[in-house]
Amino acid sequence: MEDLIIFDNVTYRYDSDGAALKPAVSNLSLKIKKGEFVAVLGHNGSGKSTLAKLCNAILIPESGRVTVDGTDTADEEKIYDIRRKVGMVFQNPDNQIVATVVEDDVAFGPENLGVEPTEIRRRVDEALKSVGMYEYRLHEPHRLSGGQKQRVAIAGILAMQTDCIVLDEPTAMLDPKGRKEVMQAVKKLNRELSKTVVFITHFMDEAVQADRVIVMNKAEKIMDGTAKEVFSHPERLKALGLDVPAAAGLSHELKKRGIDMPDGILDNESFIEAFERINFEGNNT
Ligand code: ADP
Ligand code: MG
């Protein structure tokens, strides 16, 4: 698979009255492949949002280089090409609504790109269908639930036909139902529309659904691997103050006690399956 976003030794520092601040992202190198679903974890202040904003030229590296499909994000002339390729969805659904009717909201992006009206119509319908919000197209966005609002925001990005969507804690303000709806919509556009997804979250049950997990700590990337690899080190995650998916933590504890659990258990279903297969003969009294 081809790389879409490449961070090459990137450092970024926020300005603050000229004081020498610690970098928010420090010497970060990573590659995100086309079609990949990457989760980014890390506690508050670890640099996740800064990483997100560096992906589509909202922020430009102080040193090092970010490229999107081969284009340097520091190239000011290419900024709209980059934003067209990589769209962002933020945490607060209310801050992302720009219109008073759902379909106008979704049309806002392509309108600004100068897309022709019949093509806009087609894109808006398609985008709303792919996030399951088509039947709400004439509703008022501010009356929707949080999960519905976030799906409208995602549709707005889809309507610009971006290759990649970066979502910065899109579920943090949602109830469990809304979180599920958003996760389902994002998974669908990754699997069915081959969109590249960078999903920042602090919910482990969401992170385990990604192809790959990156863990940030104090401005640095400290873990990067498949969900199975990353969650097979629960001690390391706990030491960083991060949760571990319950099923992964339990399997790890059982293994430590000599019980034969397979590696890479991340969710309850696979935990139960593996547990049922254990031969407890001889262990029973
Ligand atoms: P996260 O999203 O993981 O919580 P951020 O990328 O927002 O982390 O922040 C990384 C570091 O940069 C933190 O120390 C934070 O305080 C600092 N920071 C973030 N945004 C700003 C800003 N606008 N101005 C100054 N410092 C900031
Ligand atoms: Mg953040």
Side-chain angles (χ1 to χ4, degrees):
M1 265 195 298
E2 227 179 307
D3 292 319
L4 181 66
I5 302 177
I6 301 178
F7 279 57
D8 181 16
N9 207 22
V10 173
T11 295
Y12 183 86
R13 213 180 305 256
Y14 290 93
D15 293 328
S16 132
D17 344 297
L21 271 183
K22 282 195 190 141
V25 160
S26 177
N27 300 314
L28 177 64
S29 292
L30 58 87
K31 288 177 178 172
I32 293 167
K33 290 187 168 63
K34 285 186 180 166
E36 207 170 21
F37 190 142
V38 181
V40 180
L41 292 173
H43 57 70
N44 279 345
S46 58
K48 304 181 301 296
S49 293
T50 307
L51 185 165
K53 289 174 186 155
L54 285 160
C55 288
N56 78 341
I58 295 175
L59 301 176
I60 306 297
E62 164 189 316
S63 62
R65 217 160 80 106
V66 177
T67 56
V68 172
D69 221 0
T71 305
D72 193 327
T73 59
D75 184 347
E76 279 173 36
E77 285 177 9
K78 295 287 169 61
I79 193 158
Y80 289 102
D81 293 344
I82 286 162
R83 301 255 169 95
R84 220 171 290 183
K85 287 204 168 116
V86 181
M88 291 270 287
V89 174
F90 297 97
Q91 188 177 105
N92 189 335
D94 293 315
N95 291 349
Q96 298 174 85
I97 293 168
V98 292
T100 50
V101 180
V102 165
E103 60 178 13
D104 295 345
D105 199 83
V106 177
F108 185 77
E111 267 163 10
N112 278 347
L113 296 176
V115 177
E116 196 232 321
T118 49
E119 170 66 6
I120 292 180
R121 178 79 263 155
R122 196 190 63 76
R123 286 194 196 181
V124 167
D125 289 354
E126 194 180 280
L128 284 169
K129 281 176 191 161
S130 46
V131 298
M133 288 298 292
Y134 183 68
E135 65 201 84
Y136 292 90
R137 64 193 177 281
L138 299 176
H139 285 227
E140 292 172 49
H142 74 268
R143 299 178 67 171
L144 300 174
S145 72
Q148 290 171 330
K149 284 178 193 164
Q150 285 300 57
R151 285 186 288 149
V152 170
I154 294 168
I157 302 290
L158 286 175
M160 292 193 282
Q161 299 191 325
T162 51
D163 299 329
C164 174
I165 305 192
V166 178
L167 304 104
D168 190 358
E169 302 201 34
T171 57
M173 299 177 78
L174 307 183
D175 60 15
K177 182 168 172 280
R179 283 179 49 207
K180 245 184 224 147
E181 288 169 6
V182 168
M183 196 62 198
Q184 246 164 23
V186 173
K187 267 171 77 173
K188 185 172 163 218
L189 53 100
N190 172 253
R191 307 275 141 89
E192 292 173 20
L193 305 177
S194 305
K195 300 288 177 187
T196 309
V197 173
V198 179
F199 195 97
I200 299 172
T201 182
H202 60 261
F203 294 111
M204 297 300 144
D205 58 330
E206 294 173 354
V208 298
Q209 300 181 52
D211 299 324
R212 182 171 149 210
V213 177
I214 290 174
V215 182
M216 294 292 293
N217 187 52
K218 295 187 183 154
E220 291 180 10
K221 181 181 88 172
I222 53 160
M223 293 171 95
D224 185 350
T226 62
K228 283 185 182 180
E229 284 162 0
V230 168
F231 293 117
S232 61
H233 302 287
E235 272 96 4
R236 272 183 81 183
L237 292 168
K238 277 183 200 155
L240 297 167
L242 295 173
D243 289 334
V244 173
L250 267 177
S251 320
H252 190 75
E253 287 304 316
L254 289 171
K255 259 176 108 94
K256 280 205 316 208
R257 286 163 176 72
I259 294 171
D260 184 24
M261 291 292 281
D263 283 326
I265 300 228
L266 299 176
D267 55 65
N268 295 352
E269 245 158 64
S270 17
F271 179 87
I272 291 164
E273 263 173 42
F275 199 76
E276 280 175 340
R277 262 188 251 118
I278 298 173
N279 182 2
F280 284 106
E281 252 171 66
N283 292 343
N284 295 335
T285 47

